[in-house]
Amino acid sequence: MEEHHTIREPDSSSNEDVVSVRSPGEDSSCNGSIRKQELPSPVANSPVQGCDPFGQSQRSKLQNRRARINQQINKEMRMRAGAENLFRATTNNKIKETVALELSYVNSNLQLLKEELEDLNSNMEVYQTDSEVVNVPLIPLGLKETKEVDFSTPIQDFIHEYYGEDGLLYQKEIKELMDLRQAMRTPARNQTGLGLLMEYYNQLYFLDRRFLPPHENLGVHFHWYDSLTGVPSCQRALAFEKGSVLFNIGPLYTQIGARQDRSATAGIERAIDAFHRAAGAFDYLKDNFSNAPSLDMSGPALCMLVRLMAAQAQECAFERVALGPQDADLASLLRLAQEAAQVSDVYRLARRAMSQLPMKDYVPFSWASLVQVKSEHFRALSHYFAAVALCDRMVTHDSSEDTAEAEKALLHFYVSPCARPPLGQLLGDAKQRRKFGKAHLRHAVMRHEEAIRLHGVCKILRKMDTLQDVLVLAYKRSLDLYSELDREDDFEPTLEAPHIRPQSQQEPDMTLPSFVPVADLFQRLGPLSAFCARGRWGTARAICLPRSEGGLGLTLRGDSPVLVAGVAAGGCAEEAGLREGDYIMSVDGHDCKWAKHADVVSLLQMCGAREVRLAVVTPHNTQAGKRALVSRGKENAGGRPTLRVTKEQSSCDRRAAARGLAAAELSTQK
């Protein structure tokens, strides 16, 4: 299900963004909450189906520490704001000196807290797989933290004032909504956790339609912390809540992708899919939400994250090719070299996005360093595999190999065809191949040395033993092969290695979020098409219809809810105060908001000769000149009356009338 978000200018009385959301589907008869389904342990045994932030797992401890630091940063920033206001307001020099000293102390605390938070965000090994196979670590993102929100009073008051019902009757639904929000704060790293985030995001659509009239809000403050800096943001706009929840879908996918076992093809495929979905979530957020109050949801940050996710997906694609059967033929080795060059190229683009303002001072230094290390590392690998392809043909020449296939593989291998000798000479001359192979190895050794140097600059990367092992192993492998080719009697100058053309079989892709319909928690209020905050409702009225020989004197049309399409002049319905355009809420205490036309007719007929008690409500936009003008026409071929609706009829009435073309006039006799 695709949702369309339209960003409008903020209301003049508020500094917050106003978002209008339209969903193609409003079916409330879909699957129930994911929290009510059978869930795997340990989620199924928890009353709130998220991961326990106070649990003993390393990830839970990390998340708990991040939440604590975010709260401390929020406290220090409030203290700094108060001290700055006092400093500007006072004219007493002694007070200014005291406040300046306090500001210095607060700024020092803030700097220490931000450095501690950066260390937590740079703690990548916690999210990696436990496989014994050594892989280059991937970069996961931490979730945005948020404070608890109490929906009880605002929703109960709105139900009482707007829908005319007792808000206390909906305590169960409100509690379920608040439990869902609490659960999505700490989602598990699996499909269940993703389902919680998506379910709450979809419930916010219903919350918007049910309880937020145009240009108004619930009066609830939504507090969210920046995922990297911990800087708090607070707004009353539901758009901010929706955007933050959608943002967290991306980081959760990165954590799922980073934990996959990439020693098998199946794990690599899952990792690629996870990073594609993370990129899709960030790209969808970038295209549909604007004026973000926090930097992590700004356009430059989301563009940077999309590039980073694309690079990590490309890295996994290279690992998939390297994991496949290697028969040491020239074509497969050259393809592996081009895959490595492609990984280096996309990481270079991610590094460029990180180095531009305002991202330069925002992205953790460890992230930027790791991206640069990977760009150099995979560039070195591309030249290494190119050298192996050329030198392998020199040492173990297979006379049965098709020369045409080898020429085809080399034809588009280099960026500039002029950088290499003619294909026939390169394939047939062993000395020429050795010279080119040596040039590629020399460049590979230089790139490996640069990668190791960059790794040593960042103290956080120096703590990653896995990354250091991968870099050193690749460097020794290239250096050993170069030593074999570097003969003492070889006095010819070493060639400059040509640039390898980046190419991949993995198409760049982004998987947008799939908005699966969920059940509306507040469906007891009635069908959303009629009972929404976009319309204007009158006060609910109680009508007592006495029986007369001429019947009740009203015409009904439509379903869920049933519409009073006509009232007979001088009939008992008109005398009781029933009006054309009223919606029937109940008949003798039976709730009829979801009732079909035939069910309401049956309830009225069952009353027999006694009076009928109705509860009705009148939409304001159906009164006076905006009233629906419905008239009965001639019977059509199927024996059903026709329906004529003027252009002045409201949209709610048109939908209700269109569902009930088979109207029936009640003329039950005593």
Side-chain angles (χ1 to χ4, degrees):
M1 180 181 71
E2 182 182 1
E3 292 198 357
H4 307 277
H5 303 260
T6 304
I7 308 296
R8 302 197 300 269
E9 291 296 326
D11 183 58
S12 58
S13 62
S14 173
N15 295 324
E16 299 161 357
D17 299 332
V18 181
V19 176
S20 173
V21 185
R22 177 176 61 84
S23 175
E26 298 179 0
D27 181 18
S28 61
S29 60
C30 49
N31 294 333
S33 170
I34 190 172
R35 292 161 297 117
K36 296 180 180 179
Q37 301 172 6
E38 188 68 26
L39 300 176
S41 178
V43 178
N45 298 326
S46 175
V48 177
Q49 304 297 353
C51 79
D52 181 10
F54 303 103
Q56 297 302 314
S57 69
Q58 292 296 324
R59 174 176 172 266
S60 297
K61 291 180 180 178
L62 196 66
Q63 188 171 344
N64 189 28
R65 287 178 59 194
R66 184 182 288 112
R68 177 180 54 82
I69 293 175
N70 285 334
Q71 294 173 3
Q72 291 177 343
I73 290 176
N74 188 21
K75 178 182 177 182
E76 295 292 337
M77 290 189 68
R78 291 200 306 268
M79 292 178 60
R80 185 175 68 176
E84 289 175 345
N85 292 336
L86 179 59
F87 186 86
R88 288 191 294 264
T90 186
T91 57
N92 189 311
N93 291 331
K94 188 173 182 63
I95 295 179
K96 277 182 176 279
E97 292 178 2
T98 304
V99 173
L101 183 62
E102 182 67 22
L103 275 173
S104 176
Y105 176 75
V106 171
N107 287 330
S108 298
N109 283 347
L110 267 176
Q111 185 62 31
L112 291 174
L113 288 172
K114 289 183 178 180
E115 289 178 0
E116 185 178 356
L117 185 61
E118 182 178 351
D119 290 343
L120 289 181
N121 290 326
S122 303
N123 195 341
M124 308 173 198
E125 293 185 316
V126 173
Y127 298 96
Q128 308 301 316
T129 178
D130 297 330
S131 173
E132 297 181 356
V133 177
V134 179
N135 290 112
V136 181
L138 297 172
I139 298 178
L141 277 70
L143 303 179
K144 288 174 71 69
E145 299 288 342
T146 181
K147 290 184 177 180
E148 293 184 5
V149 171
D150 188 358
F151 289 110
S152 301
T153 302
I155 292 181
Q156 288 178 6
D157 290 347
F158 191 88
I159 291 175
H160 174 71
E161 296 173 5
Y162 188 84
Y163 292 105
E165 297 190 41
D166 187 358
L168 295 176
L169 299 177
Y170 290 86
Q171 286 183 333
K172 178 182 178 182
E173 288 83 353
I174 296 173
K175 183 179 184 304
E176 191 170 353
L177 176 66
M178 294 173 60
D179 287 346
L180 179 59
R181 190 182 190 276
Q182 180 67 21
M184 71 87 200
R185 293 178 61 189
T186 56
R189 269 193 306 174
N190 49 35
Q191 290 300 321
T192 301
L194 290 168
L196 283 174
L197 286 170
M198 191 57 68
E199 182 181 359
Y200 180 67
Y201 179 83
N202 288 334
Q203 288 296 341
L204 291 178
Y205 162 75
F206 294 112
L207 196 69
D208 185 17
R209 293 292 304 276
R210 294 282 192 189
F211 307 113
L212 270 73
H215 311 295
E216 296 185 22
N217 56 66
L218 277 174
V220 176
H221 289 85
F222 300 104
H223 297 262
W224 288 86
Y225 298 93
D226 190 289
S227 61
L228 294 182
T229 63
V231 175
S233 299
C234 176
Q235 281 197 358
R236 290 178 298 173
L238 197 63
F240 181 43
E241 176 86 346
K242 295 181 68 175
S244 300
V245 174
L246 184 61
F247 178 90
N248 273 353
I249 293 176
L252 191 57
Y253 269 122
T254 66
Q255 296 178 18
I256 292 174
R259 73 175 299 191
Q260 298 302 320
D261 182 5
R262 306 199 311 274
S263 63
T265 304
I268 294 177
E269 294 288 353
R270 289 192 295 269
I272 293 175
D273 179 70
F275 287 117
H276 281 167
R277 293 183 182 276
F282 294 133
D283 189 67
Y284 183 86
L285 186 64
K286 174 177 65 71
D287 292 340
N288 291 277
F289 291 86
S290 62
N291 302 324
S294 58
L295 192 55
D296 55 355
M297 294 169 60
S298 64
L302 294 173
C303 287
M304 179 271 296
L305 290 174
V306 169
R307 290 199 177 276
L308 179 59
M309 296 306 107
Q312 297 196 124
Q314 195 64 53
E315 179 182 350
C316 294
F318 166 80
E319 293 175 343
R320 181 178 57 190
V321 176
L323 195 63
Q326 297 297 325
D327 50 5
D329 65 284
L330 185 141
S332 63
L333 290 171
L334 292 183
R335 183 164 69 90
L336 195 57
Q338 289 185 306
E339 289 279 356
Q342 179 69 18
V343 177
S344 175
D345 196 53
V346 292
Y347 269 118
R348 179 179 57 83
L349 295 177
R351 178 71 179 93
R352 181 184 302 173
M354 292 180 178
S355 61
Q356 296 177 352
L357 292 175
M359 293 296 101
K360 185 176 181 180
D361 300 325
Y362 175 71
V363 175
F365 179 67
S366 59
W367 285 21
S369 299
L370 182 57
V371 166
Q372 197 170 2
V373 166
K374 288 189 175 186
S375 180
E376 297 294 338
H377 172 67
F378 284 100
R379 180 65 61 184
L381 288 182
S382 68
H383 286 279
Y384 169 77
F385 286 115
V388 171
L390 296 172
C391 297
D392 181 69
R393 282 192 56 84
M394 179 185 68
V395 178
T396 59
H397 180 69
D398 185 3
S399 58
S400 64
E401 182 177 359
D402 189 3
T403 305
E405 183 181 351
E407 291 183 356
K408 182 179 178 181
L410 278 169
L411 184 61
H412 302 292
F413 183 69
Y414 293 112
V415 173
S416 176
C418 301
R420 56 164 173 76
L423 291 179
Q425 180 181 350
L426 184 61
L427 291 173
D429 189 349
K431 183 177 180 181
Q432 192 71 22
R433 291 199 305 273
R434 188 183 67 83
K435 289 175 60 177
F436 263 81
K438 185 178 178 182
H440 281 296
L441 279 174
R442 178 175 175 270
H443 196 80
V445 171
M446 292 172 58
R447 295 300 92 200
H448 279 308
E449 290 175 347
E450 178 64 12
I452 293 176
R453 184 191 71 81
L454 292 172
H455 170 265
V457 169
C458 181
K459 69 173 185 178
I460 294 179
L461 295 186
R462 289 198 301 267
K463 299 177 183 178
M464 296 184 182
D465 297 335
T466 303
L467 178 60
Q468 184 174 358
D469 293 343
V470 171
L471 297 178
V472 171
L473 181 63
Y475 171 65
K476 289 183 178 180
R477 185 176 58 179
S478 297
L479 191 61
D480 291 344
L481 186 56
Y482 182 78
S483 301
E484 293 179 10
L485 298 178
D486 190 22
R487 301 174 182 174
E488 294 183 1
D489 56 349
D490 187 0
F491 298 103
E492 295 185 13
T494 304
L495 300 176
E496 187 67 27
H499 294 290
I500 299 173
R501 184 189 301 276
Q503 187 174 346
S504 175
Q505 293 184 344
Q506 176 68 43
E507 295 292 334
D509 190 17
M510 289 186 298
T511 306
L512 297 178
S514 56
F515 298 99
V516 180
V518 298
D520 180 10
L521 290 178
F522 294 91
Q523 60 181 333
R524 283 202 296 138
L525 287 172
L528 189 60
S529 58
F531 298 93
C532 64
R534 299 298 188 264
R536 296 178 58 199
W537 294 87
T539 305
R541 312 191 315 275
I543 303 292
C544 293
L545 290 180
R547 289 286 182 174
S548 66
E549 295 182 359
L552 294 176
L554 70 153
T555 303
L556 303 180
R557 293 184 187 274
D559 296 320
S560 305
V562 174
L563 172 73
V564 178
V567 178
C572 61
E574 185 181 47
E575 294 177 356
L578 199 63
R579 295 185 291 232
E580 179 182 345
D582 284 346
Y583 285 122
I584 296 181
M585 301 292 98
S586 67
V587 176
D588 281 342
H590 296 281
D591 193 331
C592 296
K593 285 177 288 191
W594 285 95
K596 299 296 183 182
H597 175 271
D599 297 332
V600 175
V601 173
S602 177
L603 286 173
L604 292 172
Q605 291 175 340
M606 288 172 57
C607 296
R610 62 183 177 83
E611 67 177 8
V612 182
R613 296 184 177 275
L614 303 180
V616 299
V617 66
T618 304
H620 283 171
N621 54 3
T622 63
Q623 296 177 0
K626 298 181 180 179
R627 178 177 299 177
L629 302 179
V630 183
S631 64
R632 294 195 56 187
K634 296 182 178 180
E635 298 290 327
N636 58 14
R640 294 186 176 184
T642 58
L643 178 70
R644 184 173 74 253
V645 182
T646 68
K647 292 183 179 179
E648 294 179 318
Q649 184 180 5
S650 68
S651 59
C652 290
D653 290 338
R654 286 198 299 269
R655 285 193 297 268
R659 290 195 300 265
L661 290 178
E665 184 176 20
L666 296 179
S667 57
T668 305
Q669 302 293 330
K670 265 190 176 183

